[in-house]
Amino acid sequence: LTLSEIQSEVNSSYPITGNGLVLSYSFESNFTNATGNYTYDTNNLVAGQINGSFNFNGVNTVVSNSTSATPVLTNAGTISYWFKWVKKNTGSNSRPVDKNGNYYMEIIEASNRIDCSFQGLSDNYLVGTGTNLVENTWTFVTCVYNGTNVSIYKDGQFVIGEPSTGSITSTASTFRIGSEGGTRWFNGSIDDVRIYNASLSQTQITALYNAGAYRIYNYTSSNGNGSINLPLTNTGLVNMSLTSTANGGYYQSWAINHNTNVDYLNTMA
């Protein structure tokens, strides 16, 4: 994926494009993979890091995909997604993403970390030491197998890796988000799940993180008087265009107030 491809996907409801992308859940209204479109319970859609996300209650909420529609990984693979995690305080672990017997990522609640497993490899489990998860915070995680190493990235940056070789197990099994088939229930929200049958590079992972973390917001108003409420929920770049027909087309007075973590604010009169 190039940076322009990633930015294009982020700002256009995440179509399936780019080298190796075989499964994608954007949680806008449906999800798309290599075999078609599928739906899920839209009652669980909430505000996400990138537009909508899916909310999981930590008890019985799961999004699943049948074995026949789930692509397998063999010689390389990448798992990536945004999530906002809430502890269950039960001591139990949870799996935001799981293709049972093939690959998964697991939150270890007692240690505030996330681990990664590609089954079938010479070293099939990577302990995510240093991932240091924080509750109620949108976090972007990526796990990559490139044929010689397994690595975990957090918010676009490398955290930990170890040598591993072989082929990823590719048995038929159901792909799930939010659970491991009746156990290890995830509590919180998940957004933009992506599975690649290729290994993304550090540059690609960082670009993918930046494209999701720093959104571009556009807002235009022709109101001569009154207030403007920007629909901002995430960090990003705000492009604001204000047009006034009062006082000869000039602003008599105006101010911008916000309580969001906007990085840049562009105003154009």
Side-chain angles (χ1 to χ4, degrees):
L1 288 177
T2 65
L3 177 58
S4 60
E5 285 178 321
I6 293 169
Q7 290 173 329
S8 175
E9 290 186 16
V10 167
N11 291 315
S12 60
S13 299
Y14 289 77
I16 290 284
T17 60
N19 181 33
L21 184 60
V22 292
L23 183 64
S24 174
Y25 289 72
S26 65
F27 292 121
E28 305 308 322
S29 60
N30 57 36
F31 76 84
T32 307
N33 68 14
T35 59
N37 296 316
Y38 298 83
T39 59
Y40 43 74
D41 186 358
T42 56
N43 291 320
N44 289 322
L45 293 180
V46 296
Q49 172 64 24
I50 306 168
N51 299 319
S53 69
F54 200 92
N55 187 61
F56 299 82
N57 62 15
V59 178
N60 58 13
T61 309
V62 63
V63 172
S64 61
N65 195 356
S66 66
T67 57
S68 61
T70 305
V72 297
L73 309 180
T74 52
N75 299 319
T78 300
I79 307 165
S80 78
Y81 55 95
W82 288 88
F83 73 103
K84 185 167 65 172
W85 166 61
V86 180
K87 278 190 175 182
K88 295 180 288 185
N89 294 316
T90 61
S92 62
N93 302 332
S94 59
R95 291 193 180 177
V97 173
D98 175 88
K99 190 175 189 300
N100 195 24
N102 291 221
Y103 51 85
Y104 61 86
M105 294 193 76
E106 183 164 348
I107 293 175
I108 311 302
E109 182 169 300
S111 303
N112 293 338
R113 74 169 197 263
I114 189 161
D115 299 347
C116 177
S117 175
F118 289 104
Q119 297 293 294
L121 303 185
S122 58
D123 190 339
N124 63 15
Y125 193 91
L126 175 58
V127 176
T129 303
T131 47
N132 301 329
L133 302 182
V134 178
E135 286 188 86
N136 290 302
T137 301
W138 280 109
T139 304
F140 181 65
V141 292
T142 309
C143 185
V144 179
Y145 172 57
N146 64 5
T148 57
N149 291 275
V150 175
S151 303
I152 295 177
Y153 298 77
K154 176 186 173 186
D155 291 339
Q157 299 301 311
F158 174 82
V159 176
I160 191 170
E162 62 186 14
S164 192
T165 58
S167 297
I168 303 168
T169 301
S170 58
T171 56
S173 62
T174 300
F175 178 85
R176 296 181 177 89
I177 300 174
S179 173
E180 185 210 2
T183 185
R184 293 183 171 89
W185 300 98
F186 173 81
N187 190 36
S189 299
I190 297 176
D191 196 1
D192 187 36
V193 178
R194 290 167 173 248
I195 306 297
Y196 296 82
N197 62 7
S199 57
L200 297 189
S201 67
Q202 169 73 79
T203 300
Q204 291 172 317
I205 293 167
T206 300
L208 191 59
Y209 165 73
N210 288 338
Y214 304 104
R215 305 300 310 288
I216 299 175
Y217 297 89
N218 295 285
Y219 192 87
T220 302
S221 175
S222 59
N223 294 331
N225 299 291
S227 62
I228 298 173
N229 296 315
L230 296 177
L232 304 180
T233 57
N234 306 311
T235 300
L237 169 66
V238 177
N239 293 319
M240 177 183 286
S241 176
L242 302 174
T243 302
S244 175
T245 58
N247 299 307
Y250 296 96
Y251 299 116
Q252 185 174 30
S253 64
W254 59 278
I256 297 174
N257 299 302
H258 66 83
N259 58 3
T260 57
N261 53 340
V262 175
D263 294 287
Y264 305 99
L265 182 60
N266 291 346
T267 61
M268 299 168 289

